[in-house]
Amino acid sequence: MASVTGIGCASTAVLAAFIALGENPFKTSIAAIELFGDIGQKAGKKSRGPGQFQINLLDELYHESQRQI
């Protein structure tokens, strides 16, 4: 994640969305960062380089949003 531009911005957007919808900002923040880490691991396993990682990360985030979080 450290080698790909925009990942910090994406994690901040996910964090903000969780906080906006959650009741407890602290617990919600932890859940958001854990989710983003899990998505990053899934994307990393599918990727052969940073370009593919960025695309796979967005795809994983999309598919995760289709499930109940």
Side-chain angles (χ1 to χ4, degrees):
M1 287 185 167
S3 301
V4 181
T5 301
I7 298 301
C9 296
S11 66
T12 302
V14 169
L15 178 63
F18 269 62
I19 290 173
L21 297 173
E23 294 179 15
N24 182 321
F26 181 73
K27 289 181 180 180
T28 305
S29 297
I30 292 170
I33 298 304
E34 285 179 347
L35 173 72
F36 202 79
D38 291 344
I39 289 171
Q41 287 181 350
K42 290 177 186 177
K45 290 177 183 176
K46 295 179 180 179
S47 304
R48 292 183 292 161
Q52 284 185 335
F53 178 79
Q54 193 171 35
I55 292 167
N56 289 334
L57 182 81
L58 293 173
D59 286 346
E60 289 296 328
L61 183 60
Y62 170 79
H63 291 297
E64 194 66 34
S65 69
Q66 299 299 309
R67 299 180 202 125
Q68 185 175 358
I69 297 175

